[in-house]
Amino acid sequence: MKTADVVILGGGPGGYAAAIRSAQLGQSVILIDEAQVGGTCLHRGCIPTKALLHAAEVADNARTATQFGVNATFEGVDPEKLHGFKNTVVSRLYKGLSGLIEGLGITVVNGRGKLTGPRSVDVDGTTVTGRTIVLATGSAPKVPGAITTSDRVLTSDQALELATIPDTAIILGGGVIGVEFASLWASFGTKVTIVEALPRLVPNEDAAISTYLERLFRRRRITAKTGTRVTEVTSDENAVQVTLESGDVLSADVLLVAVGRAPRTEGLGLAENGVTVEGGFVVTDESLRTSVPSIYAIGDIVGGLQLAHRAFQHGIFVAERIAGREAELVADAGIPRVTYCHPEIASVGLTEDAAREQYGDGVETVTYDLAGNGRSQILKASGAVKLVVDPAGAVVGVHMIGAGVSELIGEAQLLYNLGVKAEEAARFVHAHPTQNEALGEALMAVSGAPLHLHG
């Protein structure tokens, strides 16, 4: 038997954040994971996909180099070296994380854990007990029941390890994962078709951002079939065929199933030990405590945004609450959201539709096109910054699309979470020439004093 103050089931971003902060606060910690600590984010998600997306950006730069007076050519991709680059990044981060966990005296138990009581977990026959248990088992790619994965029908986990770059690909789902892989493969020369059941790509974003993305994807020759459902998927040794509701049949080398991620809560003994689960998600109160007082749940298994940085926040919050400290959660609307396709998408707060539903007709919006931004012109970057302001003048939504806008989301989240009025924020200086100026220009415009914007 092993015992500690805090036992954490799952070593992804939420789990290891809870472990690290608990140890920093003087708690003894046991961290249980059936694989390597770091979870999907480090090994099969955020980090490896963004490494590949950076390589895709390098490929795009090689193709367009002559526009900048640089003689360069794109001659193709070496998948072995590509994966070598990706794996080196992952390995270095994993080594650093492992060293941090070891240095803090956190005990890591490898194996599949299952809840056996309000303070106990079985790990492959070994009982682990704790004063408090934190459930942090994360999520896995969702695959509709009518679809069977294979060498040609892939989840994002499989797509990350492809030994070759497909000539043609169909992507089922136009959300974050779908458009990131579409962008990645298109940069490497793949002919991509996205099939999305809802009326637009990235349907959780502001409608204006979807419009920009669809237009810019068309320029990149990425085909998007929105408002379209799939009725059948078949494959053979040569190709995969996707039948649409219209009767049309698409054929490609591979199909990526990117319809979202499902919480990993099955087979963990949760309901049997009194933990309420609804629709696969663990039900918690505002402190992330479950229906069993000694058990908390964090990250992707708690309904809401499935983002690594949300899980980080959950882990830190729960660790501080367990240690008796005051802590406060940022609501999901205040958590930055970034999609790393080309062009990037970054947003925080309410969409225009959501703001009008909440605040009525007094909502104001302004959209500043990156065509007026000097830095964006240098980068040959298209896109826009859209602000949503409530009737009192406070910024309640920031929605951006364009190269590098992920780096602008830090200021945007402060505007939203601190309830800053656009007129107050507009008086501060944004360095020239930067893309950050676009946010400053939008703030000035919505305050009635635009500088480089007509109207």
Side-chain angles (χ1 to χ4, degrees):
M1 181 182 291
K2 298 177 182 290
T3 188
D5 295 326
V6 182
V7 172
I8 301 165
L9 187 54
Y16 79 67
I20 289 170
R21 183 52 57 90
S22 291
Q24 290 170 338
L25 295 175
Q27 307 285 307
S28 59
V29 181
I30 294 176
L31 180 62
I32 302 166
D33 199 285
E34 61 183 341
Q36 295 174 311
V37 293
T40 293
C41 178
L42 177 54
H43 299 286
R44 298 175 301 283
C46 319
I47 299 302
T49 56
K50 277 54 178 183
L52 294 181
L53 281 159
H54 176 65
E57 182 182 355
V58 173
D60 288 333
N61 289 340
R63 277 198 192 86
T64 60
T66 54
Q67 297 179 23
F68 303 92
V70 177
N71 294 325
T73 57
F74 174 72
E75 297 180 357
V77 177
D78 183 330
E80 186 175 347
K81 289 183 178 178
L82 181 68
H83 289 304
F85 159 66
K86 173 200 70 179
N87 294 338
T88 296
V89 173
V90 171
S91 178
R92 285 176 178 166
L93 291 171
Y94 172 66
K95 184 177 180 180
L97 175 61
S98 298
L100 178 59
I101 287 171
E102 183 180 354
L104 287 168
I106 296 166
T107 300
V108 176
V109 176
N110 292 115
R112 182 168 178 78
K114 182 177 180 180
L115 198 67
T116 55
R119 290 183 171 82
S120 62
V121 175
D122 175 80
V123 185
D124 299 332
T126 298
T127 299
V128 178
T129 63
R131 180 167 47 85
T132 304
I133 292 175
V134 179
L135 305 173
T137 48
S139 61
K142 188 186 298 182
V143 180
I147 296 177
T148 302
T149 58
S150 65
D151 290 341
R152 292 193 180 276
V153 181
L154 317 172
T155 67
S156 57
D157 288 356
Q158 295 166 283
L160 280 172
E161 302 300 330
L162 278 179
T164 59
I165 304 299
D167 291 327
T168 55
I170 301 166
I171 297 176
L172 179 56
V176 173
I177 297 170
V179 299
E180 286 189 349
F181 270 97
S183 184
L184 166 68
W185 279 336
S187 295
F188 289 153
T190 304
K191 183 179 179 181
V192 179
T193 300
I194 305 171
V195 180
E196 168 57 52
L198 293 175
R200 56 190 176 90
L201 296 182
V202 288
N204 291 329
E205 296 292 341
D206 189 273
I209 298 301
S210 295
T211 300
Y212 268 94
L213 181 66
E214 288 167 8
R215 182 169 73 243
L216 295 171
F217 265 19
R218 282 196 296 272
R219 290 183 192 172
R220 298 187 61 198
R221 297 194 171 121
I222 297 171
T223 300
K225 294 182 178 295
T226 54
T228 304
R229 294 187 178 277
V230 170
T231 58
E232 186 180 19
V233 173
T234 60
S235 61
D236 55 35
E237 60 183 14
N238 297 314
V240 58
Q241 294 81 34
V242 175
T243 304
L244 306 181
E245 207 168 35
S246 62
D248 293 337
V249 179
L250 307 178
S251 181
D253 294 329
V254 296
L255 168 69
L256 171 64
V257 181
V259 294
R261 296 183 63 84
R264 299 181 66 204
T265 53
E266 286 189 15
L268 298 179
L270 304 186
E272 298 92 321
N273 288 282
V275 176
T276 302
V277 179
E278 293 180 359
F281 292 95
V282 178
V283 177
T284 68
D285 62 15
E286 66 280 356
S287 68
L288 298 178
R289 194 189 297 265
T290 72
S291 49
V292 178
S294 58
I295 301 176
Y296 290 81
I298 62 177
D300 286 3
I301 62 172
V302 178
L305 296 173
Q306 291 181 317
L307 297 170
H309 43 283
R310 175 179 182 256
F312 284 140
Q313 182 199 202
H314 280 187
I316 293 167
F317 169 83
V318 162
E320 293 185 346
R321 291 296 292 261
I322 291 170
R325 291 192 168 198
E326 290 295 322
E328 187 175 347
L329 278 174
V330 173
D332 275 9
I335 295 174
R337 308 176 294 271
V338 180
T339 304
Y340 292 89
C341 53
H342 176 64
E344 289 182 348
I345 297 168
S347 61
V348 68
L350 305 178
T351 64
E352 179 179 348
D353 289 345
R356 292 196 184 283
E357 185 176 331
Q358 182 169 333
Y359 296 105
D361 293 335
V363 168
E364 291 186 48
T365 69
V366 68
T367 300
Y368 178 80
D369 198 292
L370 293 185
N373 177 258
R375 179 69 171 170
S376 297
Q377 286 299 301
I378 292 167
L379 297 173
K380 290 187 177 290
S382 299
V385 173
K386 178 177 179 178
L387 293 184
V388 182
V389 176
D390 73 9
V395 176
V396 294
V398 182
H399 308 278
M400 302 178 284
I401 183 168
V405 295
S406 61
E407 301 301 331
L408 310 185
I409 200 63
E411 178 181 349
Q413 70 153 332
L414 293 179
L415 293 173
Y416 174 78
N417 285 308
L418 295 177
V420 177
K421 291 190 175 181
E423 189 172 358
E424 294 174 352
R427 70 185 181 87
F428 292 105
V429 178
H430 294 77
H432 176 77
T434 64
Q435 286 187 285
N436 194 224
E437 281 183 287
L439 184 52
E441 290 278 1
L443 287 165
M444 287 191 286
V446 81
S447 302
L451 184 62
H452 295 97
L453 185 68
H454 294 293

